[in-house]
Amino acid sequence: MAGKHYEELEIGTVFEHEVTRTITEADNVWFSAITHNTQPLHLDEEFGKQTLFGGRIVNSLFTLALVTGVGVSDVTLGTTLGNMGFTDVRFPNPVRHGDTIRATTEVIDRRESRSRPEAGLVTLRHHGFNQRDEIVCVCDRVALMLKKGES
């Protein structure tokens, strides 16, 4: 199991995820289509040219999913019982087709679960960066994490 257990997720630990992803036009259109997000800012280049972005930008929920997803193999694979919530989600800079995204995950808080003795709650802060090291996504996520020796 590649994920970390509750006891292994010490406050202040930072994971620099090796997985990176270059975002394609197809990624953006596909994600927008399957989620029924018809916002022309993601789908219509001519519309996008008239906005403050000067062209289409990548669907922010795709960005959020990617930034949190690339850390699964390092942090939560097989050891999370579920996400309890996302807070403080921000997108300081837009993602554009052709941007390459990398991510980090920091453990910012943790506590024992009051209702599940086999688990603890861990707050993770995810940062997504483009190839220019600009922050494109930040969020905090609370995950219910399995303790060692539990299944």
Side-chain angles (χ1 to χ4, degrees):
M1 199 171 312
K4 305 296 183 200
H5 289 87
Y6 173 77
E7 296 87 349
E8 298 172 291
L9 295 168
E10 296 289 335
I11 294 172
T13 302
V14 177
F15 298 89
E16 301 269 347
H17 306 300
E18 290 184 27
V19 174
T20 60
R21 179 77 149 64
T22 299
I23 308 305
T24 67
E25 179 180 12
D27 294 328
N28 185 42
V29 171
W30 173 81
F31 185 88
S32 295
I34 67 166
T35 58
H36 296 279
N37 183 337
T38 58
Q39 170 54 255
L41 186 55
H42 307 312
L43 302 172
D44 182 335
E45 185 63 29
E46 295 308 311
F47 177 89
K49 287 178 183 177
Q50 304 306 312
T51 71
L52 66 111
F53 301 107
R56 284 179 294 167
I57 61 172
V58 172
N59 187 313
S60 59
L61 292 180
F62 178 82
T63 302
L64 176 63
L66 176 63
V67 168
T68 59
V70 297
V72 167
S73 61
D74 295 332
V75 183
T76 62
L77 184 64
T79 55
T80 185
L81 299 174
N83 290 320
M84 307 308 290
F86 290 80
T87 60
D88 300 318
V89 178
R90 298 181 309 279
F91 304 99
N93 291 289
V95 174
R96 299 178 186 279
H97 302 150
D99 281 352
T100 299
I101 305 302
R102 67 176 179 84
T104 64
T105 299
E106 179 181 5
V107 179
I108 62 168
D109 196 17
R110 70 178 214 167
R111 71 169 177 81
E112 302 276 335
S113 172
R114 295 195 248 321
S115 61
R116 299 198 175 270
E118 76 280 12
L121 294 160
V122 178
T123 304
L124 304 167
R125 178 162 295 147
H126 302 282
H127 283 93
F129 303 88
N130 63 21
Q131 68 277 9
R132 294 176 299 281
D133 287 329
E134 298 167 330
I135 296 174
V136 296
C137 180
V138 179
C139 76
D140 292 348
R141 171 174 64 127
V142 177
L144 186 62
M145 299 300 296
L146 197 60
K147 290 182 179 177
K148 283 185 177 180
E150 303 292 335
S151 55

